[in-house]
Amino acid sequence: MAASVQAADDNRPIAVIVPAQAGLAPSIHADELGLIFWRKKLYAEHGQALHPVNLHSEHPLRLKFSQWVLHSTPRSQINYWNGLYFHGVQPPYTVQSEEAMIRYVAETDGAVGYIDACHVDERVKPVLWLSSGKVSADAPTMRCDTN
């Protein structure tokens, strides 16, 4: 039974989230998402600093996000971040759970994160969706029941 629940979760879309509070939410576009998480785009259109946040490196959503958006795995990104560290560029902040992700994004000006699309609540606003390896501004059809 647990394996079938995990398989269903694997097919769920990922929501890219920003703070629900209008003044805190950055404006981002699908073609910028990878640049934001590689820290090659540091500011939104109106000069707002961007603060990408990742789930921990072993989290299944982090692995999926990294493969779909960054076209690599968290493990293969270590040398990249080590090289940038000496230029004063820090990797995205990391949290341990989706709830921690929601809280951090909801309370941080310019934050951009991601969670299982079925876990979006009023504290955050989904701005992009990842499904089957594609990034879209259109919300996908979802089934979020737990049965």
Side-chain angles (χ1 to χ4, degrees):
M1 182 77 152
S4 65
V5 170
Q6 179 64 34
D9 287 350
D10 288 344
N11 294 325
R12 284 188 185 164
I14 296 173
V16 176
I17 57 173
V18 298
Q21 189 175 340
L24 301 180
S27 171
I28 61 172
H29 303 284
D31 58 346
E32 301 173 320
L33 191 57
L35 297 173
I36 292 167
F37 277 83
W38 283 121
R39 301 302 306 256
K40 293 181 178 182
K41 180 172 178 70
L42 302 176
Y43 298 93
E45 290 175 4
H46 301 292
Q48 180 182 39
L50 294 169
H51 300 285
V53 57
N54 272 322
L55 291 163
H56 68 82
S57 63
E58 300 299 319
H59 196 287
L61 284 180
R62 166 83 180 268
L63 296 173
K64 195 185 311 187
F65 181 88
S66 290
Q67 290 169 343
W68 288 356
V69 175
L70 306 176
H71 309 291
S72 66
T73 63
R75 182 178 301 274
S76 68
Q77 296 165 14
I78 292 171
N79 287 339
Y80 174 81
W81 292 115
N82 285 343
L84 287 181
Y85 176 80
F86 294 104
H87 297 285
V89 179
Q90 297 290 322
Y93 185 72
T94 302
V95 295
Q96 294 299 308
S97 68
E98 288 182 76
E99 177 59 27
M101 175 75 76
I102 292 169
R103 288 180 183 183
Y104 180 89
V105 169
E107 298 170 4
T108 305
D109 185 14
V112 181
Y114 53 89
I115 57 173
D116 180 317
C118 290
H119 298 158
V120 171
D121 65 26
E122 69 282 346
R123 296 174 288 175
V124 294
K125 177 174 80 170
V127 291
L128 297 170
W129 306 88
L130 305 172
S131 183
S132 302
K134 294 182 171 74
V135 180
S136 174
D138 301 319
T141 304
M142 298 183 288
R143 267 190 75 182
C144 294
D145 57 309
T146 56
N147 296 342

